[in-house]
Amino acid sequence: MPSFREAILITGGAGFIGSHTVRRFVNNHPDKLIINLDKLTYAGNLENLRDIEGKENYLFIKGDIADTEVVEKIFREHPVTGVIHLAAESHVDRSITDPMAFIRTNVIGTVTLMNAARKAWGDNLSGKRFYQISTDEVYGSLGPEGRFTEETPYDPQSPYSASKASADHFVRAYGNTYGLPFVITNCSNNYGPYQFPEKLIPLTINNILHERPIPVYGQGENIRDWLYVEDHAQAIELVYFNGREGRTYNIGGDNEWKNIDLVKKLCDITDRLLGRPEGSSRRLITFVKDRAGHDLRYAIDASRIRRELGWQPRTSFDEGLTRTVRWYLDNTEWLEHVISGEYEKYYEKQYGRR
Ligand code: NAD
Ligand code: TYD
């Protein structure tokens, strides 16, 4: 391997958003070594990165962010100047059944990474950066009006969002106490290729494909603000290089949808692409028991990142959803591979037998 003067450590790079981020950094920054540290949990899949795995500036390391030895070794062996921290347990429903896994990875893992960065960087903090990738869910649940700004007080409502909020607090505390140079972004719901089919959009596409019931929680009235994953990865690159130290940026799609309307739209797009008669998949929609403590609405005010960094989403929802559905239809092998025994077991526990 050639020697690099600078390395960026990306955690969770084998996951959904992480793989898009790693691909972008590897392709756009050939002068920097991009290290992907990932434990390869059920959500991590190296098939997501097949197209860049042979690149000279890419290094994959299988390991746990909460393992001090693993993390310190990376900082000892490579000239890491920045960390882009995406590794997390990320699914709200799983956090309801197993909150401890979320505390371990999302809280302890984040602090372990920052400790290793501090140890390696010492007082030599110029040009260093710890970038915490967070979620809009830390702000809690909105009523019908208003949007989350960077000043909205944290009010997490699920074990997942509580663990992410806790990690964000630790990052700011490390900035304040030890001068760790950091930046945080809080993004709304992402969608696109390579998302694990436990999340609403890929789960719906997969069930349509197999003509299985589409589980919609409660009455489907909950609202999410959807952003195409490539637009998020582009924002991450912008914030990593140009974001102001110690600053928080909200990232969102300005694209609010009620779950039931989104699922209907997905049914129609998928039917069209599969050449099925109009309306045939809508019949699969099934209202099921609501998620415990289900947040009603998320919506992001992204004016700061637009104003300060000139970012804006480039992909319209119609374009992004069509591209996403087509990708899942073209990559049924990927789908079959990720729907491992473990996912099948999870599915049965969550929704009952098929
Ligand atoms: P994901 O579940 O698809 O991927 C998570 C990745 O982290 C996987 O590759 C997994 O193997 C890895 N990982 C988990 N625990 C680990 C550990 N202990 N050590 C090392 N690696 C570990 O998640 P995602 O949807 O891509 O989300 C990535 C990040 O973005 C998370 O921090 C999440 O909170 C945040 N986020 C996600 C969304 C969204 O809509 N998906 C929105 C806003 C913010
Ligand atoms: P999800 O994709 O799990 O993301 P998050 O909970 O982090 O926003 O869920 C998106 C929305 O879809 C949320 O309101 C819950 C709902 N949902 C369903 O109605 N059915 C499902 O099977 C899933 C997974 C989610």
Side-chain angles (χ1 to χ4, degrees):
M1 178 184 285
S3 73
F4 288 89
R5 288 178 52 196
E6 228 185 285
I8 300 174
L9 172 60
I10 301 184
T11 68
F16 167 48
I17 303 169
S19 61
H20 289 273
T21 306
V22 164
R23 179 176 298 103
R24 175 174 281 267
F25 274 75
V26 166
N27 287 332
N28 291 356
H29 305 283
D31 58 320
K32 295 179 177 45
L33 176 65
I34 307 303
I35 304 172
N36 172 13
L37 170 63
D38 198 297
K39 189 181 169 185
L40 299 182
T41 67
Y42 78 95
N45 182 356
L46 289 179
E47 284 183 48
N48 300 359
L49 289 165
R50 210 165 251 170
D51 54 321
I52 56 120
E53 67 190 4
K55 297 264 177 147
E56 287 204 319
N57 66 330
Y58 174 63
L59 176 65
F60 172 70
I61 297 173
K62 183 175 186 304
D64 188 337
I65 56 163
D67 184 333
T68 303
E69 262 176 50
V70 167
V71 177
E72 286 190 352
K73 185 164 182 276
I74 296 174
F75 277 91
R76 265 199 317 273
E77 293 183 351
H78 303 281
V80 177
T81 52
V83 180
I84 304 178
H85 175 36
L86 293 114
E89 288 292 339
S90 68
H91 191 38
V92 173
D93 292 322
R94 287 181 189 256
S95 83
I96 294 169
T97 46
D98 182 14
M100 285 310 283
F102 286 68
I103 295 165
R104 189 175 179 283
T105 288
N106 299 1
V107 185
I108 298 176
T110 303
V111 175
T112 305
L113 279 170
M114 290 193 295
N115 286 343
R118 282 190 61 224
K119 191 169 170 183
W121 293 341
D123 295 330
N124 186 13
L125 292 172
S126 144
K128 307 295 194 303
R129 171 149 280 187
F130 187 93
Y131 180 177
Q132 160 79 351
I133 305 289
S134 192
T135 165
D136 61 355
E137 303 191 25
V138 297
Y139 297 121
S141 180
L142 289 167
E145 299 296 323
R147 296 197 289 178
F148 299 130
T149 72
E150 289 82 357
E151 272 68 49
T152 304
Y154 275 30
D155 185 22
Q157 300 292 318
S158 74
Y160 164 65
S161 54
S163 69
K164 292 296 290 186
S166 171
D168 294 2
H169 285 318
F170 270 104
V171 174
R172 291 197 180 92
Y174 269 52
N176 179 61
T177 308
Y178 308 115
L180 185 78
F182 74 90
V183 65
I184 301 180
T185 52
N186 297 84
C187 189
S188 63
N189 287 61
N190 284 217
Y191 71 99
Y194 300 109
Q195 186 168 32
F196 194 82
E198 65 187 350
K199 304 278 166 64
L200 179 66
I201 289 180
L203 185 141
T204 300
I205 298 169
N206 188 41
N207 286 17
I208 294 173
L209 198 58
H210 293 98
E211 297 183 71
R212 276 187 212 135
I214 302 165
V216 173
Y217 296 163
Q219 293 307 304
E221 294 292 308
N222 306 67
I223 293 171
R224 298 292 182 264
D225 174 357
W226 293 95
L227 179 70
Y228 191 62
V229 63
E230 284 291 346
D231 286 329
H232 188 190
Q234 196 232 338
I236 291 173
E237 189 179 31
L238 205 57
V239 170
Y240 180 76
F241 289 107
N242 301 319
R244 247 169 63 190
E245 188 175 318
R247 198 119 174 107
T248 299
Y249 298 91
N250 281 353
I251 305 172
D254 218 348
N255 181 36
E256 291 181 49
W257 283 79
K258 262 188 200 169
N259 291 340
I260 185 64
D261 295 335
L262 165 58
V263 166
K264 284 180 182 164
K265 193 175 173 64
L266 270 175
C267 287
D268 296 346
I269 293 174
T270 313
D271 282 346
R272 182 165 47 77
L273 292 181
L274 283 173
R276 288 185 187 163
E278 214 179 294
S280 48
S281 294
R282 286 189 181 210
R283 281 180 290 135
L284 300 169
I285 294 173
T286 310
F287 294 101
V288 300
K289 188 168 171 285
D290 208 352
R291 172 185 282 171
H294 196 172
D295 288 341
L296 178 66
R297 175 172 168 257
Y298 306 140
I300 280 281
D301 176 346
S303 50
R304 176 181 286 174
I305 189 171
R306 282 173 191 261
R307 195 175 56 246
E308 293 186 9
L309 302 179
W311 175 85
Q312 59 173 18
R314 293 175 175 174
T315 316
S316 74
F317 203 37
D318 275 345
E319 188 188 336
L321 273 186
T322 305
R323 213 183 286 165
T324 303
V325 173
R326 190 170 288 129
W327 186 86
Y328 280 93
L329 300 184
D330 288 347
N331 289 276
T332 46
E333 201 181 317
W334 181 93
L335 252 182
E336 294 314 318
H337 286 180
V338 299
I339 301 179
S340 62
E342 203 203 326
Y343 174 56
E344 290 287 328
K345 269 186 262 151
Y346 163 79
Y347 198 99
E348 271 177 29
K349 208 163 128 195
Q350 181 69 17
Y351 303 103
R353 285 197 173 275
R354 298 191 168 139

